[in-house]
Amino acid sequence: MTHDAILIIDFGSQVTQLIARRVRETGVYCEIHPFQSAGAAFARLKPKGVIFSGGPASVIDAGSPRAPQSVFDAGVPILGICYGQQTLSTQLGGKVEGGHAREFGRADVEILKASPLFDGVWEVGGHYPVWMSHGDRVTACRPASGRRRVSENAPFAIAGDEARNLTPPCSTREVVHTPDGAKLIANFVHKIAGPSGDWTMAAYRKEMVEKIRAQVGKGRVICGLSGGVDSAVAAVLIHEAIGEQLTCVFVDHGLMRKNEAADGGRPVPAPLQHPAGACGCGRKVHRRAGGRGRPREEAQDHRPAVHRGVRGGGQEDRGGADFLAQGTLYPDVIESVSFSGGPSVTIKSHHNVGGLPERMHMKLVEPLRELFKDEVRALGRELGLPERFVGRHPFPGPGLAIRLPGGVTREKIAILQEADAIYLDEIRKAGLYDKIWQAFAVLLPVQTVGVMGDGRTYEFVCALRAVTSVDGMTADFYPYDMAFLGRAATRIINEVRGVNRVVYDVTSKPPGTIEWE
């Protein structure tokens, strides 16, 4: 990649990925790197600007994280957020103190002086709501720094240093959750750092096609189509690069949604239908389904059979494939290298981010490795994929196993498939599918007594979930009306033997929480 870039140095904040999303939305490429490796990343990227994320540490403590000195020596604009503000101030000779009143949540700030960061957002003398998250606070900046914004418990809520181009401003609080926070970040990127906004999916498509061709050469690639957006987009992009050197396989692991493994429902985009094969390992999975453990353990038990299916290509010969295509996304990469001890350190266990096991004798091709989920959808549209592939709700890699807490059995798989199919059917009939980011049913490990007609039943509880989101990093429940929920619940109870009660989950997913599904 040769784009102008912004470097985000991660100090362990749970919202670092959201900062990156706001930067990418401005049409500028950015990367996240933990503070330990930020020096090397800075030298490689030569970024036009740097953002310091927040984090759980206190700069007052000995050995707390610091930014590399090379970033300061280069004189590029720097934006510090929360902990990033405090280490920025400390490393420039300012002062940070603890023991004052803490600010968590909503606060009001007063704008004291104009700054390019505020253009079109805040005016001097105005009071504006922001979101604060700090226990320590900056009490003194280096002499050349001027206060731009104050709050009740943060005398240097924003401070700037135009003389050294450290940014006006050089620091701000939790701008990600502040009203108009995206505009503040856009102002920093374009009015202060000033990179060219050349981050487009058209450019990415062209560059990645060339990269795939260079990596694969005359080799062969095998790709397992899971039915999800990521594998479909990755496969079409690879096919554009190397054509018949790609073999796609749809693996039926026995845990797909209803009818998805049937020929008519198989999720194979048109450009791939000719070389695509099918491999069934559902029987092996079902034989292992004894309902012994937790969902994640059960799902991982099924993976060896799935992996053998992909490696075998569903054929007598896998065609001598040298590479395995995988739909790794940028959040997977970020989480695999997050600095130790931070809230974002979880690694998604269903991705081989560090490479494949040596016994497979294959290398990975990961054409989506630098993209967020919504960027993958944009790339799919750029490639001309139909909306039924691009707009498809995310589906977990281990399939329905992860939606069967309390153990996976053949009976429970069948019950969940039926309930899930009815739920999605009602969503489509109501014209809501494209308004919801993800919707699914979960068969809870709870059985209740119910009365149906003149008989008593003792059957499972089915939970319905629907969330709105852009990239899956934050989510809120979809506000169905009661008429819809009544229709969906009535159909499930009447048509699915094994379910006598339906509940709706209204849990939100707060910013930065990492959820394995």
Side-chain angles (χ1 to χ4, degrees):
M1 294 295 171
T2 57
H3 303 279
D4 284 350
I6 297 292
L7 171 65
I8 300 171
I9 299 181
D10 182 20
F11 292 99
S13 170
Q14 59 180 341
V15 300
T16 302
Q17 290 190 30
L18 292 178
I19 300 171
R21 287 300 307 116
R22 301 292 85 82
V23 173
R24 293 270 184 102
E25 287 168 1
T26 70
V28 174
Y29 181 70
C30 68
E31 290 185 10
I32 298 172
H33 290 274
F35 70 93
Q36 300 99 320
S37 59
F42 183 82
R44 174 177 60 84
L45 283 174
K46 298 180 175 57
K48 295 291 185 177
V50 180
I51 298 177
F52 291 1
S53 85
S58 170
V59 296
I60 300 171
D61 295 339
S64 56
R66 292 291 186 269
Q69 184 59 39
S70 58
V71 174
F72 298 100
D73 294 340
V76 298
I78 302 171
L79 176 70
I81 299 176
C82 199
Y83 180 89
Q85 176 202 27
Q86 294 166 6
T87 191
L88 176 60
S89 299
T90 299
Q91 291 182 253
L92 291 176
K95 186 176 182 181
V96 176
E97 297 179 356
H100 299 277
R102 300 181 299 175
E103 281 186 315
F104 290 94
R106 181 187 171 92
D108 288 321
V109 295
E110 178 185 359
I111 306 303
L112 302 181
K113 188 177 179 181
S115 165
L117 188 78
F118 306 153
D119 286 354
V121 184
W122 292 334
E123 296 180 356
V124 175
H127 290 75
Y128 300 94
V130 297
W131 186 269
M132 291 287 200
S133 179
H134 66 102
D136 301 336
R137 66 182 186 181
V138 176
T139 56
C141 282
R142 55 190 310 279
S145 298
R147 293 194 297 173
R148 301 290 186 277
R149 189 184 79 177
V150 297
S151 72
E152 182 178 358
N153 294 305
F156 288 86
I158 290 182
D161 185 352
E162 288 91 339
R164 289 196 56 193
N165 195 32
L166 282 173
T167 69
C170 67
S171 50
T172 182
R173 290 291 176 184
E174 291 285 12
V175 70
V176 176
H177 305 311
T178 293
D180 292 320
K183 294 179 181 178
L184 296 174
I185 290 181
N187 281 345
F188 168 76
V189 171
H190 289 291
K191 298 188 177 184
I192 297 174
S196 59
D198 60 353
W199 177 246
T200 67
M201 287 303 101
Y204 186 88
R205 173 185 181 179
K206 179 180 179 181
E207 293 166 358
M208 190 51 62
V209 164
E210 295 173 357
K211 185 176 180 180
I212 293 167
R213 288 172 180 165
Q215 179 187 5
V216 174
K218 296 182 178 180
R220 296 192 60 83
V221 180
I222 191 168
C223 176
L225 292 173
S226 68
V229 178
D230 304 336
S231 64
V233 173
V236 171
L237 183 60
I238 295 171
H239 186 264
E240 181 173 289
I242 61 174
E244 298 303 311
Q245 292 171 249
L246 170 69
T247 298
C248 292
V249 181
F250 173 72
V251 180
D252 176 13
H253 52 45
L255 294 163
M256 303 299 288
R257 285 172 158 157
K258 184 180 179 181
N259 295 330
E260 197 150 76
D263 287 341
R266 194 173 298 156
V268 180
L272 311 175
Q273 286 177 356
H274 177 67
C279 171
C281 55
R283 290 183 181 178
K284 295 178 182 179
V285 170
H286 283 169
R287 282 202 299 268
R288 300 173 66 93
R292 299 180 305 279
R294 295 183 299 173
R296 187 182 305 197
E297 295 165 350
E298 291 279 351
Q300 289 178 342
D301 280 346
H302 304 152
R303 289 193 184 118
V306 177
H307 289 169
R308 285 193 297 272
V310 174
R311 289 169 60 195
Q315 307 165 352
E316 292 295 322
D317 177 12
R318 78 180 191 193
D322 308 287
F323 299 89
L324 176 66
Q326 184 167 275
T328 305
L329 302 188
Y330 194 44
D332 305 318
V333 177
I334 295 169
E335 290 166 13
S336 70
V337 297
S338 295
F339 92 92
S340 178
S344 60
V345 77
T346 300
I347 301 174
K348 294 192 175 182
S349 55
H350 60 293
H351 281 109
N352 304 293
V353 176
L356 292 169
E358 188 174 340
R359 65 179 181 276
M360 292 186 70
H361 305 293
M362 302 173 78
K363 296 180 181 179
L364 284 173
V365 177
E366 300 171 300
L368 312 180
R369 187 181 174 92
E370 294 162 348
L371 302 182
F372 288 94
K373 190 77 172 187
D374 54 315
E375 292 174 321
V376 174
R377 296 187 195 278
L379 177 59
R381 294 184 178 98
E382 169 69 26
L383 290 165
L385 265 72
E387 197 62 28
R388 70 187 185 94
F389 292 107
V390 177
R392 181 181 170 89
H393 289 184
F395 188 67
L400 295 178
I402 201 62
R403 296 172 182 170
L404 289 167
V408 180
T409 67
R410 297 175 69 175
E411 175 194 13
K412 290 171 66 177
I413 292 171
I415 292 172
L416 182 56
Q417 285 176 328
E418 293 293 332
D420 186 71
I422 291 171
Y423 180 37
L424 292 180
D425 182 54
E426 287 295 325
I427 288 173
R428 289 189 173 95
K429 286 179 178 177
L432 299 175
Y433 189 86
D434 293 334
K435 297 180 181 180
I436 296 171
W437 188 77
Q438 184 183 41
F440 55 87
V442 176
L443 198 65
L444 301 180
V446 176
Q447 290 180 285
T448 64
V449 175
V451 177
M452 301 179 72
D454 295 325
R456 292 168 64 86
T457 61
Y458 186 64
E459 295 176 333
F460 288 104
V461 177
C462 178
L464 305 181
R465 180 95 162 111
V467 297
T468 58
S469 183
V470 174
D471 44 35
M473 290 182 288
T474 61
D476 201 359
F477 66 89
Y478 185 81
Y480 288 128
D481 60 52
M482 292 304 297
F484 171 85
L485 289 175
R487 288 194 303 271
T490 298
R491 277 196 62 189
I492 290 172
I493 292 170
N494 286 342
E495 299 177 31
V496 182
R497 289 190 176 275
V499 175
N500 67 2
R501 194 175 302 273
V502 175
V503 298
Y504 182 55
D505 180 3
V506 295
T507 306
S508 296
K509 183 180 176 187
T513 59
I514 296 172
E515 201 173 79
W516 194 92
E517 205 227 14

